[in-house]
Amino acid sequence: MSLLRPLPPLDVSLLTTAPSTPTPVVAARQPVPRFDAPPSLASFQRSIASRPFILPGHATGWPALNQHPWHSTHYLRTVSGPGRVVPVEVGSDYRTDDWSQKIIGWDDFVMSLSQPSKEVLYLAQHNLFLQFPNMREDMIVADYVYSCPDPSDSLPGYKPPANDEQLVLNVWLGPKGTISPAHVDPYNNCYVQVVGRKTVWLAPPWVSSALYTVPQRNPSINKEVPQLSNTSQVDVFATDSSDEFPRFWQEVVPEAMTATLEPGDLLFFPPGWWHAFRSEDVSFSVSMWW
């Protein structure tokens, strides 16, 4: 007799509540530029890759938004098969003392997203496609990933990921309210919103000295991950912290950008750019590092 539980036929959407109006981000005074049509690879390589931009609806043709909908709990459970587990973060912000990590059944995690839960569970920066290869066919890698923009204006000394493809695919899946604090990564990023909405905050590398980065060793911030030197102490989604972080409000905020990504939107930003995300609904996103 098999000990694996059969998957019930019930199909529930991850989006169980009506969309609400996102809280304005006061720590940014600029919108993220948007293009009605994708820039050519030549123009991207020559000049456009030095700044963030959004391609609205660029991924609306992905199977993940159509015949294999990632908002469907039934599809997400059947594409994996029963008995699989994933690593999740427990808590909405990894800088806080109550943040931790654990292994949980994929089936239980997916169902928790469509139900009220006491714990905030977030599948963050995880290559789910290695576990569930069929889901890799539900997305399309952006053409820009195969270009070679000049990194001199974004991050001197840039090196692509060290794997054979020079590409890292990760997913981000969690409930409304999950936050990725302001931090910086060393790679180009094509970030696609698939399910729900997510608000992004961006700031350029030249304001890094005013980001109040977390000290490398600060147990009061996070005992689990003591090295957070690529992460800011500032809550960029707060309404005001000018008294505590005056240089941030004076130097960073005038340069910072913000936007709310809708399903199908593609966001590009270069290496070295500070970025933070806030989920406005249950949110499923894909990042392409290259």
Side-chain angles (χ1 to χ4, degrees):
M1 177 181 297
S2 174
L3 297 179
L4 297 178
R5 293 176 297 167
L7 294 175
L10 179 63
D11 190 2
V12 178
S13 174
L14 295 178
L15 301 173
T16 57
T17 58
S20 57
T21 302
T23 303
V25 179
V26 298
R29 295 183 185 164
Q30 309 292 333
V32 181
R34 294 172 179 263
F35 292 111
D36 293 333
S40 68
L41 285 180
S43 62
F44 177 77
Q45 291 175 292
R46 186 171 54 249
S47 59
I48 296 175
S50 63
R51 294 278 184 147
F53 63 82
I54 293 172
L55 298 180
H58 184 72
T60 51
W62 281 17
L65 284 90
N66 296 284
Q67 62 265 41
H68 295 159
W70 286 6
H71 67 75
S72 163
T73 59
H74 182 63
Y75 176 71
L76 294 179
R77 297 166 75 196
T78 54
V79 76
S80 67
R84 305 304 295 273
V85 297
V86 291
V88 298
E89 298 179 358
V90 182
S92 60
D93 186 334
Y94 62 72
R95 297 170 301 180
T96 60
D97 289 329
D98 60 353
W99 180 90
S100 63
Q101 296 173 296
K102 70 177 182 179
I103 302 295
I104 185 174
W106 169 252
D107 185 55
D108 294 330
F109 172 62
V110 168
M111 294 309 296
S112 75
L113 296 173
S114 60
Q115 315 168 354
S117 175
K118 295 180 180 179
E119 288 185 317
V120 176
L121 303 178
Y122 192 22
L123 182 67
Q125 195 174 314
H126 179 61
N127 192 337
L128 195 65
F129 307 119
L130 289 178
Q131 287 189 273
F132 313 143
N134 286 344
M135 291 188 71
R136 174 64 178 79
E137 300 176 6
D138 295 341
M139 59 157 292
I140 301 171
V141 174
D143 289 344
Y144 302 120
V145 167
Y146 303 107
S147 68
C148 299
D150 181 0
S152 59
D153 292 335
S154 53
L155 189 67
Y158 160 80
K159 294 181 180 180
N163 59 9
D164 290 341
E165 290 184 287
Q166 296 189 329
L167 171 66
V168 175
L169 301 176
N170 284 316
V171 303
W172 311 76
L173 173 58
K176 177 180 179 178
T178 49
I179 289 175
S180 295
H183 65 285
V184 65
D185 295 317
Y187 304 119
N188 291 290
N189 195 342
C190 281
Y191 193 96
V192 175
Q193 189 64 21
V194 181
V195 177
R197 299 164 301 158
K198 187 171 276 186
T199 295
V200 60
W201 176 95
L202 295 159
W206 52 86
V207 298
S208 295
S209 63
L211 261 295
Y212 297 88
T213 55
V214 176
Q216 287 195 343
R217 295 189 178 275
N218 191 338
S220 66
I221 298 293
N222 197 315
K223 296 180 180 179
E224 296 288 336
V225 186
Q227 307 251 351
L228 294 176
S229 58
N230 72 329
T231 301
S232 174
Q233 300 179 64
V234 183
D235 181 358
V236 301
F237 296 117
T239 55
D240 186 10
S241 56
S242 55
D243 293 337
E244 188 175 4
F245 304 111
R247 287 192 60 202
F248 172 83
W249 287 89
Q250 294 166 8
E251 301 174 33
V252 179
V253 172
E255 301 269 7
M257 305 176 182
T258 188
T260 296
L261 303 176
E262 302 285 341
D265 289 354
L266 181 150
L267 165 71
F268 166 79
F269 55 93
W273 276 70
W274 291 84
H275 51 284
F277 291 96
R278 181 184 67 200
S279 298
E280 305 297 345
D281 314 293
V282 173
S283 173
F284 205 155
S285 315
V286 176
S287 62
M288 309 174 200
W289 286 348
W290 50 284

PDB file of all heavy atoms in Angstrom, residues 52-71:
ATOM      1  N   PRO A  52      17.562  50.595 -15.140  1.00  0.00           N
ATOM      2  CA  PRO A  52      16.384  49.710 -15.059  1.00  0.00           C
ATOM      3  C   PRO A  52      15.283  50.147 -16.013  1.00  0.00           C
ATOM      4  O   PRO A  52      15.168  51.318 -16.369  1.00  0.00           O
ATOM      5  CB  PRO A  52      15.930  49.876 -13.597  1.00  0.00           C
ATOM      6  CG  PRO A  52      17.096  50.448 -12.870  1.00  0.00           C
ATOM      7  CD  PRO A  52      17.813  51.300 -13.873  1.00  0.00           C
ATOM      8  N   PHE A  53      14.459  49.180 -16.398  1.00  0.00           N
ATOM      9  CA  PHE A  53      13.266  49.485 -17.177  1.00  0.00           C
ATOM     10  C   PHE A  53      12.268  48.338 -17.030  1.00  0.00           C
ATOM     11  O   PHE A  53      12.626  47.234 -16.614  1.00  0.00           O
ATOM     12  CB  PHE A  53      13.590  49.741 -18.659  1.00  0.00           C
ATOM     13  CG  PHE A  53      14.174  48.565 -19.395  1.00  0.00           C
ATOM     14  CD1 PHE A  53      13.373  47.555 -19.917  1.00  0.00           C
ATOM     15  CD2 PHE A  53      15.550  48.468 -19.586  1.00  0.00           C
ATOM     16  CE1 PHE A  53      13.899  46.477 -20.612  1.00  0.00           C
ATOM     17  CE2 PHE A  53      16.098  47.390 -20.277  1.00  0.00           C
ATOM     18  CZ  PHE A  53      15.276  46.395 -20.789  1.00  0.00           C
ATOM     19  N   ILE A  54      11.020  48.608 -17.404  1.00  0.00           N
ATOM     20  CA  ILE A  54       9.936  47.621 -17.358  1.00  0.00           C
ATOM     21  C   ILE A  54       9.377  47.440 -18.762  1.00  0.00           C
ATOM     22  O   ILE A  54       9.190  48.416 -19.500  1.00  0.00           O
ATOM     23  CB  ILE A  54       8.817  48.064 -16.393  1.00  0.00           C
ATOM     24  CG1 ILE A  54       9.317  48.058 -14.947  1.00  0.00           C
ATOM     25  CG2 ILE A  54       7.582  47.159 -16.521  1.00  0.00           C
ATOM     26  CD1 ILE A  54       8.337  48.661 -13.961  1.00  0.00           C
ATOM     27  N   LEU A  55       9.113  46.170 -19.129  1.00  0.00           N
ATOM     28  CA  LEU A  55       8.380  45.847 -20.340  1.00  0.00           C
ATOM     29  C   LEU A  55       7.004  45.337 -19.906  1.00  0.00           C
ATOM     30  O   LEU A  55       6.854  44.169 -19.529  1.00  0.00           O
ATOM     31  CB  LEU A  55       9.105  44.783 -21.156  1.00  0.00           C
ATOM     32  CG  LEU A  55      10.490  45.147 -21.683  1.00  0.00           C
ATOM     33  CD1 LEU A  55      11.084  43.981 -22.475  1.00  0.00           C
ATOM     34  CD2 LEU A  55      10.439  46.406 -22.543  1.00  0.00           C
ATOM     35  N   PRO A  56       5.976  46.182 -19.900  1.00  0.00           N
ATOM     36  CA  PRO A  56       4.650  45.764 -19.442  1.00  0.00           C
ATOM     37  C   PRO A  56       4.091  44.630 -20.300  1.00  0.00           C
ATOM     38  O   PRO A  56       4.133  44.679 -21.531  1.00  0.00           O
ATOM     39  CB  PRO A  56       3.808  47.034 -19.584  1.00  0.00           C
ATOM     40  CG  PRO A  56       4.795  48.157 -19.633  1.00  0.00           C
ATOM     41  CD  PRO A  56       6.003  47.602 -20.298  1.00  0.00           C
ATOM     42  N   GLY A  57       3.609  43.583 -19.645  1.00  0.00           N
ATOM     43  CA  GLY A  57       2.948  42.486 -20.349  1.00  0.00           C
ATOM     44  C   GLY A  57       3.859  41.639 -21.205  1.00  0.00           C
ATOM     45  O   GLY A  57       3.369  40.844 -22.025  1.00  0.00           O
ATOM     46  N   HIS A  58       5.167  41.753 -21.040  1.00  0.00           N
ATOM     47  CA  HIS A  58       6.106  41.048 -21.919  1.00  0.00           C
ATOM     48  C   HIS A  58       5.945  39.528 -21.853  1.00  0.00           C
ATOM     49  O   HIS A  58       6.173  38.832 -22.844  1.00  0.00           O
ATOM     50  CB  HIS A  58       7.539  41.437 -21.547  1.00  0.00           C
ATOM     51  CG  HIS A  58       8.586  40.847 -22.431  1.00  0.00           C
ATOM     52  ND1 HIS A  58       8.786  41.275 -23.722  1.00  0.00           N
ATOM     53  CD2 HIS A  58       9.494  39.851 -22.226  1.00  0.00           C
ATOM     54  CE1 HIS A  58       9.768  40.583 -24.271  1.00  0.00           C
ATOM     55  NE2 HIS A  58      10.218  39.712 -23.394  1.00  0.00           N
ATOM     56  N   ALA A  59       5.557  39.006 -20.694  1.00  0.00           N
ATOM     57  CA  ALA A  59       5.485  37.551 -20.503  1.00  0.00           C
ATOM     58  C   ALA A  59       4.052  37.029 -20.493  1.00  0.00           C
ATOM     59  O   ALA A  59       3.817  35.899 -20.054  1.00  0.00           O
ATOM     60  CB  ALA A  59       6.187  37.154 -19.200  1.00  0.00           C
ATOM     61  N   THR A  60       3.110  37.799 -20.985  1.00  0.00           N
ATOM     62  CA  THR A  60       1.719  37.343 -20.943  1.00  0.00           C
ATOM     63  C   THR A  60       1.484  36.117 -21.822  1.00  0.00           C
ATOM     64  O   THR A  60       0.474  35.430 -21.663  1.00  0.00           O
ATOM     65  CB  THR A  60       0.759  38.465 -21.375  1.00  0.00           C
ATOM     66  OG1 THR A  60       1.197  39.005 -22.634  1.00  0.00           O
ATOM     67  CG2 THR A  60       0.718  39.576 -20.332  1.00  0.00           C
ATOM     68  N   GLY A  61       2.399  35.818 -22.731  1.00  0.00           N
ATOM     69  CA  GLY A  61       2.271  34.629 -23.557  1.00  0.00           C
ATOM     70  C   GLY A  61       2.892  33.380 -22.962  1.00  0.00           C
ATOM     71  O   GLY A  61       2.794  32.304 -23.557  1.00  0.00           O
ATOM     72  N   TRP A  62       3.523  33.493 -21.803  1.00  0.00           N
ATOM     73  CA  TRP A  62       4.102  32.320 -21.152  1.00  0.00           C
ATOM     74  C   TRP A  62       3.016  31.288 -20.842  1.00  0.00           C
ATOM     75  O   TRP A  62       1.898  31.656 -20.433  1.00  0.00           O
ATOM     76  CB  TRP A  62       4.754  32.714 -19.838  1.00  0.00           C
ATOM     77  CG  TRP A  62       6.099  33.343 -19.927  1.00  0.00           C
ATOM     78  CD1 TRP A  62       6.692  33.894 -21.021  1.00  0.00           C
ATOM     79  CD2 TRP A  62       7.020  33.494 -18.834  1.00  0.00           C
ATOM     80  NE1 TRP A  62       7.925  34.392 -20.691  1.00  0.00           N
ATOM     81  CE2 TRP A  62       8.162  34.154 -19.366  1.00  0.00           C
ATOM     82  CE3 TRP A  62       6.987  33.150 -17.495  1.00  0.00           C
ATOM     83  CZ2 TRP A  62       9.262  34.467 -18.565  1.00  0.00           C
ATOM     84  CZ3 TRP A  62       8.075  33.457 -16.700  1.00  0.00           C
ATOM     85  CH2 TRP A  62       9.207  34.106 -17.235  1.00  0.00           C
ATOM     86  N   PRO A  63       3.310  29.993 -20.987  1.00  0.00           N
ATOM     87  CA  PRO A  63       2.360  28.974 -20.520  1.00  0.00           C
ATOM     88  C   PRO A  63       1.993  29.142 -19.045  1.00  0.00           C
ATOM     89  O   PRO A  63       0.880  28.805 -18.640  1.00  0.00           O
ATOM     90  CB  PRO A  63       3.113  27.666 -20.766  1.00  0.00           C
ATOM     91  CG  PRO A  63       4.019  27.968 -21.914  1.00  0.00           C
ATOM     92  CD  PRO A  63       4.458  29.391 -21.702  1.00  0.00           C
ATOM     93  N   ALA A  64       2.913  29.692 -18.237  1.00  0.00           N
ATOM     94  CA  ALA A  64       2.649  29.885 -16.808  1.00  0.00           C
ATOM     95  C   ALA A  64       1.494  30.838 -16.550  1.00  0.00           C
ATOM     96  O   ALA A  64       0.893  30.819 -15.468  1.00  0.00           O
ATOM     97  CB  ALA A  64       3.904  30.411 -16.107  1.00  0.00           C
ATOM     98  N   LEU A  65       1.147  31.665 -17.536  1.00  0.00           N
ATOM     99  CA  LEU A  65       0.019  32.582 -17.404  1.00  0.00           C
ATOM    100  C   LEU A  65      -1.181  32.137 -18.217  1.00  0.00           C
ATOM    101  O   LEU A  65      -2.196  32.828 -18.261  1.00  0.00           O
ATOM    102  CB  LEU A  65       0.412  33.996 -17.832  1.00  0.00           C
ATOM    103  CG  LEU A  65       1.265  34.792 -16.849  1.00  0.00           C
ATOM    104  CD1 LEU A  65       2.735  34.575 -17.079  1.00  0.00           C
ATOM    105  CD2 LEU A  65       0.919  36.266 -16.896  1.00  0.00           C
ATOM    106  N   ASN A  66      -1.072  30.963 -18.869  1.00  0.00           N
ATOM    107  CA  ASN A  66      -2.134  30.507 -19.748  1.00  0.00           C
ATOM    108  C   ASN A  66      -2.494  29.040 -19.507  1.00  0.00           C
ATOM    109  O   ASN A  66      -3.154  28.736 -18.520  1.00  0.00           O
ATOM    110  CB  ASN A  66      -1.710  30.751 -21.202  1.00  0.00           C
ATOM    111  CG  ASN A  66      -1.544  32.232 -21.512  1.00  0.00           C
ATOM    112  OD1 ASN A  66      -2.519  32.930 -21.681  1.00  0.00           O
ATOM    113  ND2 ASN A  66      -0.311  32.708 -21.573  1.00  0.00           N
ATOM    114  N   GLN A  67      -2.033  28.149 -20.365  1.00  0.00           N
ATOM    115  CA  GLN A  67      -2.487  26.761 -20.281  1.00  0.00           C
ATOM    116  C   GLN A  67      -1.946  26.006 -19.073  1.00  0.00           C
ATOM    117  O   GLN A  67      -2.504  24.990 -18.669  1.00  0.00           O
ATOM    118  CB  GLN A  67      -2.157  26.002 -21.578  1.00  0.00           C
ATOM    119  CG  GLN A  67      -0.664  25.889 -21.899  1.00  0.00           C
ATOM    120  CD  GLN A  67      -0.187  26.976 -22.825  1.00  0.00           C
ATOM    121  OE1 GLN A  67      -0.578  28.126 -22.673  1.00  0.00           O
ATOM    122  NE2 GLN A  67       0.651  26.605 -23.786  1.00  0.00           N
ATOM    123  N   HIS A  68      -0.853  26.470 -18.490  1.00  0.00           N
ATOM    124  CA  HIS A  68      -0.306  25.865 -17.267  1.00  0.00           C
ATOM    125  C   HIS A  68      -0.248  26.931 -16.178  1.00  0.00           C
ATOM    126  O   HIS A  68       0.830  27.352 -15.767  1.00  0.00           O
ATOM    127  CB  HIS A  68       1.094  25.291 -17.522  1.00  0.00           C
ATOM    128  CG  HIS A  68       1.123  24.150 -18.475  1.00  0.00           C
ATOM    129  ND1 HIS A  68       2.261  23.762 -19.149  1.00  0.00           N
ATOM    130  CD2 HIS A  68       0.144  23.288 -18.875  1.00  0.00           C
ATOM    131  CE1 HIS A  68       2.001  22.724 -19.907  1.00  0.00           C
ATOM    132  NE2 HIS A  68       0.709  22.421 -19.769  1.00  0.00           N
ATOM    133  N   PRO A  69      -1.393  27.380 -15.697  1.00  0.00           N
ATOM    134  CA  PRO A  69      -1.425  28.558 -14.830  1.00  0.00           C
ATOM    135  C   PRO A  69      -0.788  28.317 -13.465  1.00  0.00           C
ATOM    136  O   PRO A  69      -1.181  27.415 -12.731  1.00  0.00           O
ATOM    137  CB  PRO A  69      -2.927  28.849 -14.695  1.00  0.00           C
ATOM    138  CG  PRO A  69      -3.590  27.520 -14.913  1.00  0.00           C
ATOM    139  CD  PRO A  69      -2.737  26.806 -15.922  1.00  0.00           C
ATOM    140  N   TRP A  70       0.188  29.154 -13.140  1.00  0.00           N
ATOM    141  CA  TRP A  70       0.856  29.030 -11.846  1.00  0.00           C
ATOM    142  C   TRP A  70       0.001  29.554 -10.694  1.00  0.00           C
ATOM    143  O   TRP A  70       0.362  29.373  -9.538  1.00  0.00           O
ATOM    144  CB  TRP A  70       2.191  29.762 -11.889  1.00  0.00           C
ATOM    145  CG  TRP A  70       3.239  29.038 -12.683  1.00  0.00           C
ATOM    146  CD1 TRP A  70       3.084  27.903 -13.431  1.00  0.00           C
ATOM    147  CD2 TRP A  70       4.611  29.406 -12.810  1.00  0.00           C
ATOM    148  NE1 TRP A  70       4.270  27.538 -14.032  1.00  0.00           N
ATOM    149  CE2 TRP A  70       5.234  28.446 -13.669  1.00  0.00           C
ATOM    150  CE3 TRP A  70       5.389  30.447 -12.317  1.00  0.00           C
ATOM    151  CZ2 TRP A  70       6.583  28.511 -14.015  1.00  0.00           C
ATOM    152  CZ3 TRP A  70       6.732  30.522 -12.662  1.00  0.00           C
ATOM    153  CH2 TRP A  70       7.325  29.560 -13.493  1.00  0.00           C
ATOM    154  N   HIS A  71      -1.108  30.192 -11.006  1.00  0.00           N
ATOM    155  CA  HIS A  71      -2.007  30.602  -9.920  1.00  0.00           C
ATOM    156  C   HIS A  71      -2.897  29.450  -9.454  1.00  0.00           C
ATOM    157  O   HIS A  71      -3.611  29.564  -8.456  1.00  0.00           O
ATOM    158  CB  HIS A  71      -2.877  31.794 -10.343  1.00  0.00           C
ATOM    159  CG  HIS A  71      -3.867  31.474 -11.434  1.00  0.00           C
ATOM    160  ND1 HIS A  71      -5.021  30.747 -11.212  1.00  0.00           N
ATOM    161  CD2 HIS A  71      -3.858  31.783 -12.744  1.00  0.00           C
ATOM    162  CE1 HIS A  71      -5.685  30.623 -12.348  1.00  0.00           C
ATOM    163  NE2 HIS A  71      -5.006  31.242 -13.298  1.00  0.00           N
TER     164      HIS A  71
END
